[in-house]
Structures are given as structure tokens and as C-alpha cells.
Amino acid sequence: TVLPARPPSPPRAQIPVSSSLPPPPPKPAPPKPQPHSFPPPLPPPSSSVPAPPPLPSSRPEIAASGFGPAPNTLTEPVWDTVKRDLSRIVSNLKLVVFPNPYREDPGKALRDWDLWGPFFFIVFLGLTLSWSASVKKSEVFAVAFGLLAAGAVILTLNVLLLGGHIIFFQSLSLLGYCLFPLDVGALICMLKDNVILKVVVVCVTLAWSSWAAYPFMSSAVNPRRKALALYPVFLMYVSVGFLIIAID
Amino acid sequence: MDPNQPVTENYANPKTCFFHVLFKAAALAFYILSALFIDNFVIIFVVTVLLAALDFWVVKNVSGRILVGLRWWNEINDLGESVWKFECLDQESMARMNKKDSWLFWWTLYLTAVAWIVFGIFSLIRLQADYLLVIGVCVTLSIANIIGFTKCKKDAKKQFQQFASQTLASRFSSTLSSAFSVV
């Protein structure tokens, strides 16, 4: 018979991880050699994009997948992984969408990026817009999804080309999470078909989304180029807002 | 391993193998069948991409760990740089891994990517841009996992070699010192 391929290992010294992650529970085990973990350092991300992302908890956009797990995760039960990724999504959402003006370092806040959140928000927005549309539902969905996904990539490239210090997937993750207010706005607009209400709701949620994206984007670039980095983000959210208002 | 062991071993983790294959097969099957029966692109897109994403997550976080003992992820360190981390089980456990499990793992990974690329070529020929979008996402996810795990495996081999050479070197120096102390 084959032995089960799951040797439990004792916990070891932790690589410093952000405090939003709960450490995995220690497992009792006979003394065994530890799992190895070697970080291959890479050149700064502005020069090249590293290998494709983990997705979920990640997912590309998902792709996500994402993660900053504590070292001893090779032998943890599956449920722990699921819980860890879910809690990461929730904490990322809270950090990004409910911005705390007294936060010390906005650039640090999305260190544990993941792409599940952005995936769900983009798909949800596409579905809501598609549902609200009376004709050409498939095209609306495809356009919304393509616009948001391509928009996020292009905005990130914009920041990188402006000489900003931002990590590609972190930025994708951030821009995806900042769509949450617009999702809420789109949902409200779908339920109530009054034009004035739609305009008001879209303006409010648009302002909220831009306000959420502002600290991260502005801290990533040279202060003189802040407007150049932020303006396209605002433009993208405005165009999504127009889509929401215009769909009937 | 004991020489009298039967040549064909069974899967050590049948449930994990099942889930590893389940989402991949479901995504491919749904894509193929829906193109024939369902007219609504939105449903096809959302369900296929969701299944592909779930498959990505399962392979990366569950079956990679359990079937081949490898794990890869990305971290952002304090300096704000992105670091790709690879982790593997120690050498004894890796040697004890079930051969059938790892065969299934790698082959289904490669076959899924090839299948999506073939569908992509079909869509390209038929100039269906929206289906290309779906396939693009699925191909990206499959290839991401392949690259991640391949890098992880290479990294593991390198570590084992380093470990082996370090052990040899330390044993050599300790025998030398013990020989000298005896003298």
C-alpha cells in the first residue's frame, strides 16, 4: 500500500505576513525535515511582468487567485485554505472600499492582493447591466466585461509608464475592488427605473469609487504626475457610470 | 519501496483526483455543449469562466498540494516588490508521492490547456470574438497554473540538489575533523 502523501509538519518560524491573515493552527507531528521555501527575488516589477498570477482567492483578474500565506500551508486542511481566502477577500474589500483617511500608508494596504473580488464585481456589474438592457443583452455583457478588464490593464500600464511604483496585479486587484460602489449603484438603478434617481445614485457611487481609488494611485506616482495617473481612472468610472445611466 | 509491491498502485487520493479533473472537464463540457444548445452568450461566459476559475483555485490550492506536494504564490514584501514563492514538501515525502496521482495531475493540466487552445483556433477561424474572450480567459488560467507548477518543480529539484551537496559537504568535513581529532 502507498503511504498517504500528507506528512504533518511542525510549525516553523513565520515569514512576516500582514496582520489580516490568521496564522494556521499548529499541528503535532514527529520531527521531520521542514518544507523548503525559497523566495526567488525578481527585478522591480516595472521592467517586466512576472509569471501569471495565482488566482483566487485569487483569480485572474482572477487569476487569482493571490495569497500571502504563512509558510506551513502545504499540509493544511482544505477548509482552512478556503477560510483564509474568503477572509482575505473580505479584508481587502473593507480596506479598499471603506477608506480610512487616518490610515498610515495607503500604498501598503492591498499587499495581499487577490483577484477573486475583482472577478466577482466585474461579472456582477456585467450581469446587472445586461439584465437592465432590453435588447442586445449579450453584447452589453461582453462590452462591459471587456471594457472593465481591458480598462484595468491599461490603467495599470499607465501608472507603470508614468514611472510609478505599483505592482501589476496589486493594481488590477485594487481597480477591481473599487468597482464595488458602482456595482451597488448599478443594482439600485436596475431595480428603480427613474432617470433622476439613476443620475443621483451614479454620481454618488462614482464619487465613492474614485475616492476609494485615489489614495492608492496617488501614492504610487510622483506627486507632479498624480493628475496624469488619476484622470484616466476617473474617466473609466465615468464611462461605466454613463453605461449604467444610459441602459434602459 | 518494497520490491514485491504490485506494479499498479491505486490512486492515493481519489477524491482529490476527482475534483482536480471535475472542474476542468465541467468547463470544457459546458463550453462544448452550450455552444450547441444554449443561445445566450452571457450564461455561457459566466458559467464557463466561473468553472475555469474554480478549477484554477482547486489546482493551485488543493490538488497541487496533495497530489504533487508543490505550492506557488506571490507575495509583496515590505519594500513593495513582488516576490514569487515556491514551496515543496521535503525530499522523503516527495519520493513517496503516488506516481499515478502526479501522472494524472500533470497530464490533465497539459491536456486542458491544449484543448482550450484548439477551441480558440476554431473560434478564431469562425471569427467569433466573444467566444474568443471566454477561451482567452480559460487559456490564461490553465497556462498560469502550468507555468507556476513547472517553476515550482524546477525550484524543488534545485533545492534538493543544493541540500544533497550541502549534506555531502558537511559530512565530508565532519569525517575529516573526526579523523584529525583521532590522530
Side-chain angles (χ1 to χ4, degrees), chain B residues 95-120:
Chain B
R96 261 188 293 147
M97 286 280 163
N98 190 338
K99 296 284 183 295
K100 252 194 178 176
D101 279 355
S102 51
W103 176 90
L104 177 79
F105 179 86
W106 289 106
W107 275 104
T108 48
L109 226 51
Y110 294 137
L111 282 177
T112 320
V114 167
W116 282 119
I117 292 178
V118 166
F119 288 140

Short mmCIF file of all heavy atoms in Angstrom, two decimals, chain B residues 95-120:
data_model
loop_
_atom_site.label_atom_id
_atom_site.label_comp_id
_atom_site.label_asym_id
_atom_site.label_seq_id
_atom_site.Cartn_x
_atom_site.Cartn_y
_atom_site.Cartn_z
N ALA B 95 9.45 11.76 -2.56
CA ALA B 95 9.75 10.46 -3.16
C ALA B 95 8.61 9.48 -2.94
O ALA B 95 8.39 8.57 -3.73
CB ALA B 95 11.05 9.91 -2.58
N ARG B 96 7.86 9.73 -1.85
CA ARG B 96 6.80 8.80 -1.55
C ARG B 96 5.50 9.13 -2.27
O ARG B 96 4.52 8.42 -2.13
CB ARG B 96 6.51 8.82 -0.03
CG ARG B 96 7.16 7.71 0.71
CD ARG B 96 6.69 7.69 2.12
NE ARG B 96 7.16 8.87 2.82
CZ ARG B 96 6.49 9.48 3.77
NH1 ARG B 96 5.32 9.03 4.13
NH2 ARG B 96 6.98 10.54 4.36
N MET B 97 5.47 10.23 -3.00
CA MET B 97 4.25 10.63 -3.68
C MET B 97 3.79 9.54 -4.63
O MET B 97 4.60 8.93 -5.31
CB MET B 97 4.49 11.89 -4.49
CG MET B 97 4.59 13.14 -3.67
SD MET B 97 2.98 13.70 -3.25
CE MET B 97 3.37 14.78 -1.93
N ASN B 98 2.54 9.38 -4.72
CA ASN B 98 1.96 8.38 -5.61
C ASN B 98 2.22 8.76 -7.06
O ASN B 98 1.93 9.86 -7.49
CB ASN B 98 0.46 8.34 -5.33
CG ASN B 98 -0.19 7.19 -6.02
OD1 ASN B 98 0.34 6.67 -6.99
ND2 ASN B 98 -1.34 6.80 -5.53
N LYS B 99 2.76 7.80 -7.82
CA LYS B 99 3.11 8.10 -9.22
C LYS B 99 1.86 8.36 -10.04
O LYS B 99 1.85 9.21 -10.94
CB LYS B 99 3.88 6.94 -9.84
CG LYS B 99 5.21 6.68 -9.21
CD LYS B 99 6.22 7.72 -9.66
CE LYS B 99 7.60 7.46 -9.12
NZ LYS B 99 7.67 7.57 -7.67
N LYS B 100 0.81 7.60 -9.77
CA LYS B 100 -0.41 7.75 -10.57
C LYS B 100 -1.01 9.13 -10.35
O LYS B 100 -1.47 9.78 -11.28
CB LYS B 100 -1.43 6.68 -10.16
CG LYS B 100 -1.62 5.62 -11.17
CD LYS B 100 -2.86 4.82 -10.87
CE LYS B 100 -3.07 3.77 -11.94
NZ LYS B 100 -4.20 2.92 -11.64
N ASP B 101 -0.99 9.57 -9.09
CA ASP B 101 -1.53 10.89 -8.78
C ASP B 101 -0.81 11.96 -9.58
O ASP B 101 -1.44 12.81 -10.21
CB ASP B 101 -1.34 11.22 -7.29
CG ASP B 101 -2.41 10.58 -6.44
OD1 ASP B 101 -3.33 9.99 -6.99
OD2 ASP B 101 -2.31 10.71 -5.21
N SER B 102 0.52 11.93 -9.53
CA SER B 102 1.24 13.01 -10.20
C SER B 102 1.11 12.88 -11.70
O SER B 102 1.04 13.89 -12.42
CB SER B 102 2.70 13.06 -9.77
OG SER B 102 3.27 11.81 -9.89
N TRP B 103 1.02 11.65 -12.24
CA TRP B 103 0.81 11.50 -13.67
C TRP B 103 -0.50 12.14 -14.08
O TRP B 103 -0.57 12.92 -15.05
CB TRP B 103 0.83 10.00 -14.00
CG TRP B 103 0.54 9.66 -15.41
CD1 TRP B 103 1.43 9.54 -16.42
CD2 TRP B 103 -0.74 9.37 -15.97
NE1 TRP B 103 0.81 9.19 -17.57
CE2 TRP B 103 -0.53 9.08 -17.32
CE3 TRP B 103 -2.04 9.31 -15.47
CZ2 TRP B 103 -1.57 8.74 -18.19
CZ3 TRP B 103 -3.08 8.98 -16.32
CH2 TRP B 103 -2.83 8.70 -17.66
N LEU B 104 -1.55 11.85 -13.31
CA LEU B 104 -2.86 12.42 -13.61
C LEU B 104 -2.80 13.94 -13.54
O LEU B 104 -3.33 14.65 -14.40
CB LEU B 104 -3.89 11.89 -12.62
CG LEU B 104 -5.29 12.48 -12.78
CD1 LEU B 104 -5.99 11.83 -13.92
CD2 LEU B 104 -6.10 12.33 -11.51
N PHE B 105 -2.17 14.43 -12.49
CA PHE B 105 -2.09 15.87 -12.29
C PHE B 105 -1.49 16.57 -13.49
O PHE B 105 -2.10 17.47 -14.09
CB PHE B 105 -1.23 16.13 -11.04
CG PHE B 105 -1.04 17.57 -10.72
CD1 PHE B 105 -1.98 18.26 -9.97
CD2 PHE B 105 0.08 18.25 -11.16
CE1 PHE B 105 -1.80 19.58 -9.67
CE2 PHE B 105 0.26 19.58 -10.86
CZ PHE B 105 -0.68 20.25 -10.12
N TRP B 106 -0.28 16.13 -13.88
CA TRP B 106 0.40 16.86 -14.95
C TRP B 106 -0.28 16.68 -16.29
O TRP B 106 -0.45 17.65 -17.05
CB TRP B 106 1.86 16.41 -15.05
CG TRP B 106 2.68 16.86 -13.92
CD1 TRP B 106 3.14 16.12 -12.88
CD2 TRP B 106 3.12 18.20 -13.67
NE1 TRP B 106 3.85 16.90 -12.01
CE2 TRP B 106 3.85 18.17 -12.48
CE3 TRP B 106 2.98 19.41 -14.35
CZ2 TRP B 106 4.44 19.32 -11.95
CZ3 TRP B 106 3.56 20.54 -13.82
CH2 TRP B 106 4.28 20.49 -12.64
N TRP B 107 -0.72 15.45 -16.58
CA TRP B 107 -1.31 15.23 -17.90
C TRP B 107 -2.63 15.97 -18.08
O TRP B 107 -2.90 16.53 -19.14
CB TRP B 107 -1.46 13.73 -18.18
CG TRP B 107 -0.19 13.19 -18.72
CD1 TRP B 107 0.73 12.44 -18.07
CD2 TRP B 107 0.33 13.42 -20.03
NE1 TRP B 107 1.80 12.18 -18.88
CE2 TRP B 107 1.57 12.77 -20.09
CE3 TRP B 107 -0.12 14.11 -21.15
CZ2 TRP B 107 2.37 12.78 -21.24
CZ3 TRP B 107 0.66 14.13 -22.29
CH2 TRP B 107 1.89 13.46 -22.32
N THR B 108 -3.47 16.01 -17.05
CA THR B 108 -4.73 16.73 -17.21
C THR B 108 -4.45 18.22 -17.35
O THR B 108 -5.15 18.91 -18.09
CB THR B 108 -5.68 16.49 -16.04
OG1 THR B 108 -4.97 16.65 -14.81
CG2 THR B 108 -6.29 15.13 -16.11
N LEU B 109 -3.43 18.70 -16.66
CA LEU B 109 -3.08 20.12 -16.79
C LEU B 109 -2.74 20.45 -18.23
O LEU B 109 -3.26 21.40 -18.83
CB LEU B 109 -1.89 20.40 -15.88
CG LEU B 109 -1.90 21.63 -14.99
CD1 LEU B 109 -3.17 21.70 -14.20
CD2 LEU B 109 -0.72 21.60 -14.07
N TYR B 110 -1.84 19.61 -18.82
CA TYR B 110 -1.42 19.90 -20.19
C TYR B 110 -2.57 19.72 -21.18
O TYR B 110 -2.78 20.53 -22.08
CB TYR B 110 -0.28 18.98 -20.61
CG TYR B 110 1.00 19.20 -19.84
CD1 TYR B 110 1.76 18.13 -19.38
CD2 TYR B 110 1.45 20.48 -19.55
CE1 TYR B 110 2.92 18.32 -18.67
CE2 TYR B 110 2.60 20.68 -18.83
CZ TYR B 110 3.34 19.60 -18.40
OH TYR B 110 4.49 19.79 -17.69
N LEU B 111 -3.35 18.65 -20.99
CA LEU B 111 -4.40 18.37 -21.96
C LEU B 111 -5.46 19.46 -21.96
O LEU B 111 -5.99 19.82 -23.02
CB LEU B 111 -5.06 17.01 -21.64
CG LEU B 111 -4.25 15.81 -22.09
CD1 LEU B 111 -4.93 14.53 -21.67
CD2 LEU B 111 -4.08 15.83 -23.61
N THR B 112 -5.78 19.98 -20.77
CA THR B 112 -6.79 21.04 -20.72
C THR B 112 -6.33 22.26 -21.48
O THR B 112 -7.08 22.85 -22.25
CB THR B 112 -7.08 21.43 -19.27
OG1 THR B 112 -7.11 20.29 -18.47
CG2 THR B 112 -8.37 22.18 -19.18
N ALA B 113 -5.06 22.64 -21.26
CA ALA B 113 -4.55 23.82 -21.96
C ALA B 113 -4.61 23.61 -23.47
O ALA B 113 -5.03 24.49 -24.23
CB ALA B 113 -3.13 24.13 -21.51
N VAL B 114 -4.20 22.40 -23.92
CA VAL B 114 -4.22 22.12 -25.35
C VAL B 114 -5.64 22.17 -25.89
O VAL B 114 -5.91 22.74 -26.96
CB VAL B 114 -3.59 20.73 -25.62
CG1 VAL B 114 -3.88 20.27 -27.03
CG2 VAL B 114 -2.09 20.79 -25.39
N ALA B 115 -6.58 21.61 -25.12
CA ALA B 115 -7.98 21.61 -25.57
C ALA B 115 -8.50 23.04 -25.74
O ALA B 115 -9.13 23.38 -26.74
CB ALA B 115 -8.85 20.85 -24.57
N TRP B 116 -8.19 23.90 -24.75
CA TRP B 116 -8.68 25.28 -24.88
C TRP B 116 -8.05 25.98 -26.07
O TRP B 116 -8.69 26.75 -26.76
CB TRP B 116 -8.41 26.07 -23.60
CG TRP B 116 -9.35 25.78 -22.49
CD1 TRP B 116 -9.05 25.27 -21.27
CD2 TRP B 116 -10.77 25.98 -22.48
NE1 TRP B 116 -10.17 25.13 -20.51
CE2 TRP B 116 -11.25 25.56 -21.24
CE3 TRP B 116 -11.69 26.46 -23.41
CZ2 TRP B 116 -12.59 25.62 -20.88
CZ3 TRP B 116 -13.02 26.53 -23.06
CH2 TRP B 116 -13.46 26.10 -21.81
N ILE B 117 -6.76 25.70 -26.31
CA ILE B 117 -6.12 26.35 -27.45
C ILE B 117 -6.76 25.88 -28.75
O ILE B 117 -6.97 26.67 -29.68
CB ILE B 117 -4.60 26.07 -27.43
CG1 ILE B 117 -3.99 26.78 -26.23
CG2 ILE B 117 -3.94 26.54 -28.70
CD1 ILE B 117 -2.51 26.54 -26.08
N VAL B 118 -7.09 24.60 -28.82
CA VAL B 118 -7.75 24.10 -30.03
C VAL B 118 -9.09 24.80 -30.24
O VAL B 118 -9.42 25.24 -31.35
CB VAL B 118 -7.94 22.56 -29.93
CG1 VAL B 118 -8.90 22.07 -30.98
CG2 VAL B 118 -6.60 21.88 -30.08
N PHE B 119 -9.87 24.94 -29.16
CA PHE B 119 -11.14 25.65 -29.28
C PHE B 119 -10.92 27.09 -29.70
O PHE B 119 -11.70 27.67 -30.45
CB PHE B 119 -11.91 25.63 -27.95
CG PHE B 119 -12.48 24.30 -27.63
CD1 PHE B 119 -12.45 23.82 -26.33
CD2 PHE B 119 -13.08 23.53 -28.61
CE1 PHE B 119 -12.99 22.59 -26.03
CE2 PHE B 119 -13.62 22.29 -28.32
CZ PHE B 119 -13.57 21.82 -27.03
N GLY B 120 -9.83 27.66 -29.18
CA GLY B 120 -9.52 29.04 -29.56
C GLY B 120 -9.25 29.16 -31.04
O GLY B 120 -9.69 30.11 -31.70
#
